């Protein structure tokens, strides 16, 4: 049933992330994942179409995790500084994964996924801060684009400080 599938897809994702600690993205085969996750190939394919769709799910689940953390922050009424710090910390927690993603052939797919997600987050956040410039949409997409580019570039180069500073220029 659904719960069983949910459980095995989480197992597969965990196995994949643990393999990333030992290997590069391009070196990981489906067979490696299924043996670490202790699931059959059939189980893999009933959850994911291929490696690409697994990757997409991993990015999605990491962004989802971040979203939940940001929502908690918002409910606590935290400042924008905390908000950006949380994003940076989350990225750094999964730095190796994002770094590999940025250096792989998935870069542009990953970028557009994270980009559209961040756009949503930032525009929502600006509303939350009651910060409504007149040319709201243009300004926000400009900000978000700059922010995400800077963030991902920092991830790609492994420039921890740049990832940490990414939110700073948004506060001025």
């Amino acid at each position: 049933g659904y719960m069983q599938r949910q459980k095995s897809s989480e197992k597969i994702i965990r196995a994949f992330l643990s393999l990333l600690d030992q290997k590069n993205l391009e070196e990981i085969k489906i067979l490696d994942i299924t043996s670490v996750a202790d699931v059959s190939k059939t189980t893999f394919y009933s959850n994911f179409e291929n490696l690409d769709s697994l990757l997409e799910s991993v990015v999605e689940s990491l962004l989802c995790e971040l979203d939940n953390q940001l929502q908690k922050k918002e409910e606590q009424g935290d400042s924008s500084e905390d908000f950006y710090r949380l994003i940076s910390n989350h990225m750094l927690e999964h730095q190796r994964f994002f770094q590999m993603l940025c250096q792989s052939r998935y870069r542009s797919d990953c970028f557009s996924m994270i980009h559209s997600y961040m756009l949503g987050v930032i525009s929502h956040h600006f509303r939350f801060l009651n910060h409504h410039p007149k040319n709201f949409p243009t300004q926000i997409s400009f900000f978000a684009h700059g922010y995400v580019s800077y963030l991902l570039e920092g991830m790609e180069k492994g420039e921890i400080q740049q990832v940490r500073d990414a939110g700073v220029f948004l506060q001025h």
Side-chain angles (χ1 to χ4, degrees):
Y2 172 76
M3 292 305 283
Q4 193 60 42
R5 220 171 90 206
Q6 185 81 20
K7 221 164 144 181
S8 57
S9 82
E10 279 166 21
K11 246 167 110 177
I12 292 168
I13 288 175
R14 272 200 306 276
F16 176 65
L17 286 171
S18 77
L19 279 164
L20 275 179
D21 289 336
Q22 308 140 33
K23 297 178 168 200
N24 282 327
L25 199 55
E26 271 82 10
E27 299 170 335
I28 297 175
K29 307 276 172 273
I30 287 173
L31 204 65
D32 301 329
I33 299 167
T34 53
S35 75
V36 171
D38 194 29
V39 297
S40 69
K41 231 170 151 169
T42 317
T43 303
F44 180 92
Y45 284 112
S46 69
N47 283 281
F48 304 101
E49 209 176 308
N50 50 29
L51 261 174
D52 291 19
S53 77
L54 168 62
L55 250 181
E56 209 168 289
S57 293
V58 172
V59 174
E60 228 162 73
S61 77
L62 291 179
L63 291 177
C64 209
E65 202 180 290
L66 177 61
D67 204 22
N68 294 335
Q69 290 176 18
L70 292 173
Q71 255 165 357
K72 269 195 210 97
K73 275 248 176 277
E74 203 162 289
E75 283 154 19
Q76 293 160 3
D78 286 338
S79 70
S80 63
E81 210 170 307
D82 295 328
F83 200 81
Y84 293 117
R85 192 175 302 128
L86 188 67
I87 293 176
S88 294
N89 288 344
H90 185 74
M91 289 300 223
L92 290 171
E93 202 182 312
H94 302 287
Q95 188 197 358
R96 188 170 153 75
F97 173 72
F98 284 113
Q99 194 170 3
M100 272 199 231
L101 216 50
C102 287
Q103 292 165 351
S104 73
R105 63 189 173 89
Y106 302 104
R107 186 183 194 281
S108 57
D109 295 344
C110 158
F111 185 88
S112 51
M113 223 172 132
I114 295 176
H115 190 263
S116 58
Y117 169 80
M118 289 290 183
L119 256 171
V121 164
I122 291 170
S123 43
H124 170 81
H125 183 57
F126 269 106
R127 273 199 298 280
F128 165 70
L129 289 175
N130 294 320
H131 184 65
H132 287 297
K134 279 191 192 55
N135 50 349
F136 188 66
T138 336
Q139 201 164 11
I140 289 225
S141 72
F142 176 74
F143 266 154
H145 191 77
Y147 172 61
V148 178
S149 305
Y150 193 70
L151 192 69
L152 287 181
E153 184 191 298
M155 292 299 293
E156 196 170 0
K157 295 193 301 210
E159 296 278 348
I160 307 287
Q161 204 46 52
Q162 184 167 328
V163 177
R164 289 202 193 287
D165 292 343
V168 176
F169 80 93
L170 274 174
Q171 287 160 37
H172 303 306

